[in-house]
Amino acid sequence: MSAFPADRSVLVVGDYFVDLVFAGLPRWPQPGEEVFGSQTSSLAGGAFTHQRALHRLGVPTQWAAQLGSDPYSRLVLDTAQAEELDTASYLVHARAVRNVSVAISHAGERGFVSFKEPLAPREVADVIVAQRPACVLIAELLSGRRLDALVSAARQVGATVFMDCQHTEATLDDPAITNALQAVDVFAPNAAEARRLTRCDDLDDALSRLARLTPTVVIKNGSRGALAAASARREAATAPPVDVADTIGAGDCFDAGFVAGHLFGLDLANSLSLATLCGALSVTGHGGAAAPTLAQVAEHAPGLVPWATA
């Protein structure tokens, strides 16, 4: 149970993926080599992980998903039903929408080989206006006309815009990227993404450069925790020690924790600590399926989830 305010809802924007996860590898495969893992699973992932992680924290959440008639989409729909997620904003096409990643996890790192069905991005401005969320969570770095329409709709309903990064070869040398970061309220890359975007080897320098563009910047740094900047304020959080099974989906669960804390009114330090704890707890299972519940977070740090009830 939770007492999270019903009017502080989240709309997730982003594509689903089904993660075919291979773990327990003795080493990374070399070209021409076949390596066998000791564990495998097929799990709903991508932006679905954000919705599930937020839902488990008690945050009212919808997802502007695009799914199809294929088995991968069916797996996501079945998982959403089992999790009792709100599917009212799902768009299900009468055709295949196959988004799949082969995810390899070894020694605390992961790599992906992915396929995404050619499909026009979903226009979500009307969904934002209709749903009137308190926060729009974008699961990847967007720019240009698509982001402009999304941000305009969010401003119309007074929603905060939170944007993750995901892998990109773009840098701040591209004016479209700097414009995108100036348009959103919170930007949350991981350490590698922040360094690549800014061309800064030092993470503090990367944080400072990004903070000149976006009001709040959060950098996920794996087992080292996280850094954040808002105006002149700087915060850091340490990740608790956990037994790592798989890091896939940890960043998405981190995002959910930060957004939940931010929407409830926690300050930057506590929102960052909550996010770091959610990310850490999620790596104890595979593919984001171990996204922590509100009860699990409250057991570790009840002060970080004041909306939890007995």
Side-chain angles (χ1 to χ4, degrees):
M1 298 292 292
S2 78
F4 203 91
D7 61 349
R8 299 182 198 176
S9 64
V10 178
L11 177 68
V12 176
V13 177
D15 296 316
Y16 93 88
F17 277 87
V18 165
D19 295 327
L20 308 180
V21 181
F22 292 82
L25 278 67
R27 60 188 175 277
W28 287 103
Q30 300 302 310
E33 180 184 25
E34 183 177 23
V35 174
F36 284 84
S38 62
Q39 302 172 54
T40 186
S41 53
S42 300
L43 301 166
F48 172 85
T49 306
H50 284 104
Q51 187 189 19
R52 172 168 54 192
L54 284 159
H55 174 77
R56 287 186 179 181
L57 292 175
V59 182
T61 309
Q62 295 204 36
W63 172 31
Q66 290 204 93
L67 300 158
S69 59
D70 56 281
Y72 298 125
S73 295
R74 174 47 55 189
L75 186 152
V76 174
L77 288 165
D78 288 346
T79 307
Q81 182 178 16
E83 292 274 346
E84 299 183 342
L85 303 185
D86 189 336
T87 62
S89 295
Y90 290 18
L91 175 60
V92 182
H93 298 275
R95 51 159 288 192
V97 180
R98 300 165 300 165
N99 298 342
V100 59
S101 286
V102 176
I104 302 172
S105 179
H106 172 65
E109 296 295 338
R110 73 269 199 265
F112 300 89
V113 178
S114 301
F115 172 83
K116 183 178 177 182
E117 196 81 48
L119 184 69
R122 183 177 178 183
E123 299 295 336
V124 298
D126 289 347
V127 180
I128 293 170
V129 173
Q131 297 296 336
R132 305 188 68 83
C135 177
V136 177
L137 190 162
I138 310 172
E140 61 183 313
L141 196 159
L142 299 182
S143 62
R145 186 195 63 81
R146 186 180 174 203
L147 179 65
D148 291 344
L150 189 156
V151 170
S152 177
R155 300 301 178 223
Q156 183 178 336
V157 301
T160 296
V161 180
F162 177 107
M163 188 162 68
D164 200 326
C165 184
Q166 304 298 333
H167 179 78
T168 177
E169 296 299 325
T171 73
L172 296 184
D173 295 335
D174 183 347
I177 300 302
T178 59
N179 290 340
L181 300 192
Q182 288 172 330
V184 303
D185 301 296
V186 185
F187 181 54
N190 66 28
E193 293 158 353
R195 290 187 174 104
R196 187 181 302 112
L197 278 167
T198 62
R199 300 185 185 273
C200 294
D201 292 332
D202 184 87
L203 203 56
D204 287 324
D205 291 343
L207 178 65
S208 295
R209 187 171 182 197
L210 292 170
R212 290 196 287 270
L213 298 170
T214 308
T216 299
V217 176
V218 181
I219 298 180
K220 297 163 267 192
N221 199 18
S223 62
R224 296 179 179 87
L227 305 172
S231 300
R233 187 171 181 180
R234 297 289 186 274
E235 297 291 350
T238 302
V242 294
D243 293 327
V244 179
D246 176 14
T247 60
I248 296 167
D252 303 334
C253 294
F254 177 105
D255 292 347
F258 189 89
V259 168
H262 179 74
L263 283 181
F264 193 77
L266 301 186
D267 62 16
L268 181 64
N270 283 317
S271 294
L272 190 66
S273 294
L274 174 57
T276 303
L277 177 59
C278 288
L281 293 177
S282 76
V283 306
T284 60
H286 293 287
T293 65
L294 183 59
Q296 288 170 325
V297 174
E299 181 180 353
H300 283 80
L304 294 179
V305 283
W307 61 92
T309 58

